[in-house]
Amino acid sequence: MDARISALQKEAASRSDVIGLAGGLPADELMPKEDLGRALAYVATRRDEALQYGWPEGTRQLRGWIASRLARRNATIDPERIIITAGAQQALSIAAASLKHHAIETGDATYPGALDAFRGVGATIRAHGNPATGDARYVTAGVEMPRGVAVDCRHALAGSAPLIVDEAYAELRFDGTTPAPLIADAPDRVWHVGTISKTIAPGLRVGWLIPPSAHHDAALELKSAADLHTASICQAALSRLLTTTLDYDALVARARSAYAERADRMVTALRRHAPSLSFDEPAGGFSIWIETDDHRDEMEFLAHALDEGVMVDPGSLFRPDPAAQSGLAFRLSFSNAPIDRIDEGIARVVRALRPTTTATAAVAQAAGTR
Amino acid sequence: MDARISALQKEAASRSDVIGLAGGLPADELMPKEDLGRALAYVATRRDEALQYGWPEGTRQLRGWIASRLARRNATIDPERIIITAGAQQALSIAAASLKHHAIETGDATYPGALDAFRGVGATIRAHGNPATGDARYVTAGVEMPRGVAVDCRHALAGSAPLIVDEAYAELRFDGTTPAPLIADAPDRVWHVGTISKTIAPGLRVGWLIPPSAHHDAALELKSAADLHTASICQAALSRLLTTTLDYDALVARARSAYAERADRMVTALRRHAPSLSFDEPAGGFSIWIETDDHRDEMEFLAHALDEGVMVDPGSLFRPDPAAQSGLAFRLSFSNAPIDRIDEGIARVVRALRPTTTATAAVAQAAGTR
């Protein structure tokens, strides 16, 4: 990430007066803190393996739970194929390293971490619309990132190219439906990526990768070379949580409902404060994606937003080719802002969007009333 | 790792009758379980940031602790230079990716994870004795891996090549001395690697990398692309542990003393059961390294060892060029075997070392008495 963007985001995160619409963070209050705290304490004190070295593929118990959830979605996966990773990000970085001799087709805006992973291994990235034969593809299944629209991504199965399927938000569609996992249709070329970061807690850094069987051993070598294995304490606590006190389906249902309510607040606020802005109403996930015809400098806009007391994710982060971005774009996350601050957050974004001279006046005016 | 070695080690780990002298695991009973359990539960329930996404470089608190420990060893390091990693392994893999255009000189036997990290990025690895100009070097400072001898590695500072300094065992010399960190002498070319895996708990997967300042930003990009950041829960719990209940110096002193006692038991057992074997008495760390003139097949030896009810780490894992290994070699870890089983463990190793026909007879005999 551009060091200037990073610096602004850190400043924003450190200021209690700033409304945070950046980052795609799950809501603090939806995480099962008490249950997790108990599970962590239990396994730390009662299970030697929770503090000890483990095997690179992760624990059998956690891999079994993942396989059982996929089975309920009609994908029969041998748990031996599953590799527990440090979040979906590490799954993407291992898939990227495995596929680095392919160009990877991503769409014209996608998850920034995937772009980082692909760039990190030196892969060529192609934007949507022109995948060449042999290109690999990356899709965010269920809920498309960053647009928040519902997709099943079955079109991506066309052809015979390798396909990285990122299910980070797949279970967070507001209508409660979850499309069938693509890995069931093309197990020999789908790299399936999942995580508990959006539902339980990202701070555990637990995700998973299911590579095609022919690539499993090489992918496992990459995992082992990367960090030996995913934190034993996190795997053990998660397993305990999932097999004792936590009803995961109920947790996901509560999350869907809570995020749908926040999404609705943000949609309403956008229509009120900026009726001319067009955007897709989110069908799931954490965010709304805005593209404008405004040609102002992105950093200038971010600085104005911070002056107004709000932070968003700049669109360039999501672009395979940031220089080709035609107009100002940004992502607004409703997921971890206090629900009663979303309207004010959007009002601040809209003030920051005003032409510069007006914005400066608005800053001066806002400063007087704070 | 060779899939056959991995399969044997997994079988060994699953059998309670097998004495485990493989793996270089810290002793379960030396880990501060109760304190860690309390710290984990506290931060999970009271600190939102412990379950949330974090910054790629890690928490300021933990980086501050690392800097303060280095300062006590006369190395003044700005905490902003420190990157918290998923154990020393990830620090090595980031250093390797940053230095992949260099050949890396490692010595003729070294830490297998470092070899995996270097191979994983396609770096050329050179064994000791012939470093060319421009080669990078990798050293295990304080206690040399796998030989267990005391080294200060100051010789490695000669020249101007990049130097990866792995301090995983540096504080675990039995005499209580810790050499000055090399990063103090050559901050512009030392990649400093540290971890709490050998003293507190490897299952937390927390280590650190201090790259040369000129490489910091690129290394941080690699960290972010790899897994976004190290598990927040582990960083937060560690910080709480280190700033509240845990006296780290006292913990390290207890560990040194406990491992010295185990080392002494193993040395005594080797002299009793195999007086003709030569080896270096360990000055620290977790293991004894044995090299023999025996030309038997390594897998055959490992299988015999498992038949005898003991597991060790085969020497080929430690060799930059496994095919060039001249005689059977292996590493015996005293660190996590029950102290009262070390003598019997060595007796089993020595039986497995007997020529094949004798070993087979011994297996039959042992089977009758088990």
Side-chain angles (χ1 to χ4, degrees):
Chain A
M1 190 191 297
D2 187 308
R4 296 173 307 162
I5 297 176
S6 173
L8 282 183
Q9 292 196 330
K10 282 184 186 172
E11 184 188 338
S14 72
R15 278 174 47 184
S16 61
D17 63 312
V18 173
I19 299 174
L21 305 179
L25 280 58
D28 291 325
E29 63 272 30
L30 293 176
M31 300 186 200
K33 293 177 192 180
E34 297 295 333
D35 284 354
L36 250 179
R38 272 191 296 274
L40 285 160
Y42 182 89
V43 298
T45 54
R46 311 279 189 93
R47 297 281 180 266
D48 282 349
E49 68 271 20
L51 298 183
Q52 196 49 277
Y53 285 112
W55 302 110
E57 65 271 23
T59 68
R60 190 179 298 269
Q61 202 174 4
L62 196 52
R63 288 182 288 117
W65 177 79
I66 294 160
S68 72
R69 284 200 68 85
L70 284 166
R72 287 169 50 192
R73 296 169 60 204
N74 297 316
T76 305
I77 301 292
D78 182 347
E80 295 302 309
R81 290 184 54 198
I82 301 173
I83 300 173
I84 305 294
T85 57
Q89 184 65 29
Q90 190 181 49
L92 292 172
S93 79
I94 293 172
S98 306
L99 294 169
K100 65 183 170 187
H101 301 301
H102 294 262
I104 303 177
E105 199 278 319
T106 64
D108 71 330
T110 193
Y111 169 54
L115 295 174
D116 288 345
F118 303 157
R119 289 178 186 131
V121 298
T124 301
I125 304 174
R126 284 197 234 277
H128 196 63
N130 194 21
T133 306
D135 284 0
R137 298 187 76 158
Y138 168 69
V139 293
T140 49
V143 179
E144 190 182 84
M145 270 280 285
R147 291 192 170 77
V149 298
V151 285
D152 68 8
C153 293
R154 305 204 78 74
H155 65 280
L157 288 170
S160 59
L163 192 58
I164 303 171
V165 179
D166 182 344
E167 286 211 335
Y169 291 99
E171 296 193 301
L172 289 176
R173 273 197 199 173
F174 302 148
D175 68 2
T177 63
T178 307
L182 298 184
I183 194 171
D185 296 276
D188 57 332
R189 57 194 174 93
V190 164
W191 298 70
H192 178 98
V193 173
T195 181
I196 53 80
S197 291
K198 307 302 181 186
T199 51
I200 296 182
L204 298 176
R205 305 310 302 124
V206 175
W208 50 92
L209 173 67
I210 312 175
S213 295
H215 295 271
H216 174 273
D217 293 357
L220 190 59
E221 294 274 340
L222 289 171
K223 166 62 180 171
S224 180
D227 61 4
L228 298 184
H229 60 86
T230 297
S232 313
I233 185 75
C234 297
Q235 295 187 68
L238 253 186
S239 285
R240 178 152 181 92
L241 188 69
L242 292 166
T243 54
T244 56
T245 52
L246 186 72
D247 179 339
Y248 189 72
D249 287 322
L251 177 84
V252 171
R254 280 197 303 277
R256 276 194 206 112
S257 159
Y259 294 126
E261 186 185 357
R262 283 162 203 241
D264 187 59
R265 289 282 185 109
M266 188 174 273
V267 167
T268 302
L270 281 165
R271 297 221 163 109
R272 176 185 311 149
H273 297 291
S276 66
L277 274 186
S278 69
F279 57 90
D280 288 311
E281 268 194 52
F286 285 2
S287 313
I288 291 177
W289 173 245
I290 310 268
E291 290 175 305
T292 76
D293 297 326
D294 190 331
H295 287 277
R296 95 171 61 186
D297 179 74
E298 185 176 85
M299 282 305 300
E300 187 190 304
F301 165 65
L302 279 189
H304 280 311
L306 188 55
D307 285 342
E308 291 288 350
V310 67
M311 187 42 61
V312 307
D313 287 310
S316 63
L317 298 180
F318 300 80
R319 300 293 191 187
D321 181 3
Q325 180 160 282
S326 62
L328 184 68
F330 47 93
R331 187 183 71 169
L332 302 171
S333 292
F334 45 77
S335 51
N336 194 34
I339 189 162
D340 293 331
R341 301 284 279 161
I342 289 177
D343 186 82
E344 171 61 18
I346 294 301
R348 293 178 185 185
V349 170
V350 172
R351 284 203 294 272
L353 276 173
R354 287 178 195 155
T356 310
T357 49
T358 319
T360 309
V363 171
Q365 189 184 353
T369 58
R370 243 182 236 137
Chain B
M1 190 192 299
D2 186 309
R4 297 173 307 162
I5 296 175
S6 173
L8 282 181
Q9 292 196 330
K10 281 184 185 172
E11 183 187 339
S14 72
R15 279 173 48 183
S16 61
D17 63 312
V18 173
I19 299 173
L21 304 180
L25 279 58
D28 291 323
E29 63 272 30
L30 293 177
M31 299 185 200
K33 293 177 193 179
E34 298 294 334
D35 284 353
L36 250 178
R38 271 191 296 273
L40 286 160
Y42 181 89
V43 297
T45 53
R46 312 279 189 90
R47 296 280 180 266
D48 282 347
E49 68 272 19
L51 299 183
Q52 194 49 277
Y53 285 112
W55 302 109
E57 64 271 23
T59 68
R60 191 178 297 267
Q61 201 174 8
L62 196 52
R63 288 183 288 118
W65 178 79
I66 293 159
S68 72
R69 286 201 66 85
L70 284 166
R72 288 168 50 191
R73 295 168 60 205
N74 297 317
T76 305
I77 302 291
D78 182 348
E80 296 303 309
R81 290 184 54 197
I82 301 174
I83 300 172
I84 306 294
T85 57
Q89 184 66 29
Q90 189 181 50
L92 292 173
S93 79
I94 293 171
S98 306
L99 294 170
K100 65 184 172 188
H101 300 301
H102 294 263
I104 304 177
E105 199 279 320
T106 64
D108 71 330
T110 194
Y111 169 53
L115 295 174
D116 288 346
F118 303 157
R119 289 178 186 130
V121 296
T124 302
I125 304 175
R126 284 196 233 280
H128 196 63
N130 195 20
T133 306
D135 285 0
R137 301 187 73 160
Y138 167 69
V139 294
T140 50
V143 178
E144 189 182 84
M145 270 278 287
R147 291 192 169 79
V149 297
V151 285
D152 68 9
C153 294
R154 305 204 77 75
H155 64 281
L157 287 170
S160 59
L163 191 58
I164 304 171
V165 179
D166 183 345
E167 286 212 333
Y169 291 100
E171 296 194 300
L172 290 176
R173 274 196 199 173
F174 302 148
D175 67 3
T177 63
T178 307
L182 298 185
I183 194 171
D185 297 276
D188 57 332
R189 58 194 173 90
V190 163
W191 297 70
H192 179 97
V193 173
T195 181
I196 53 79
S197 290
K198 306 302 182 186
T199 50
I200 296 182
L204 298 177
R205 307 309 301 127
V206 175
W208 51 92
L209 173 66
I210 311 175
S213 295
H215 295 271
H216 173 273
D217 294 356
L220 190 60
E221 293 274 339
L222 289 170
K223 165 62 181 170
S224 181
D227 60 5
L228 298 185
H229 59 85
T230 297
S232 313
I233 184 75
C234 297
Q235 294 187 68
L238 252 185
S239 284
R240 179 152 180 93
L241 188 69
L242 292 166
T243 54
T244 55
T245 53
L246 187 72
D247 179 338
Y248 189 72
D249 286 322
L251 177 85
V252 171
R254 281 197 304 277
R256 276 193 207 113
S257 159
Y259 293 126
E261 187 185 358
R262 283 161 203 241
D264 188 59
R265 288 281 185 109
M266 187 172 273
V267 167
T268 302
L270 281 165
R271 297 220 164 109
R272 176 185 309 147
H273 297 290
S276 66
L277 275 185
S278 69
F279 58 90
D280 288 310
E281 271 194 49
F286 285 2
S287 314
I288 291 175
W289 173 245
I290 310 266
E291 291 176 303
T292 76
D293 297 327
D294 191 331
H295 287 277
R296 95 171 59 189
D297 179 74
E298 185 177 83
M299 282 304 300
E300 186 190 306
F301 165 64
L302 278 189
H304 280 312
L306 187 55
D307 286 342
E308 291 288 350
V310 68
M311 187 42 62
V312 306
D313 286 310
S316 63
L317 297 180
F318 301 81
R319 300 294 191 186
D321 181 3
Q325 179 161 281
S326 62
L328 183 69
F330 48 91
R331 186 183 71 169
L332 302 171
S333 291
F334 45 78
S335 50
N336 194 32
I339 190 162
D340 293 332
R341 301 283 281 160
I342 288 176
D343 186 82
E344 172 60 19
I346 294 301
R348 293 178 185 185
V349 170
V350 171
R351 284 203 295 273
L353 276 173
R354 286 177 195 154
T356 309
T357 49
T358 319
T360 310
V363 172
Q365 189 184 354
T369 58
R370 242 182 240 140

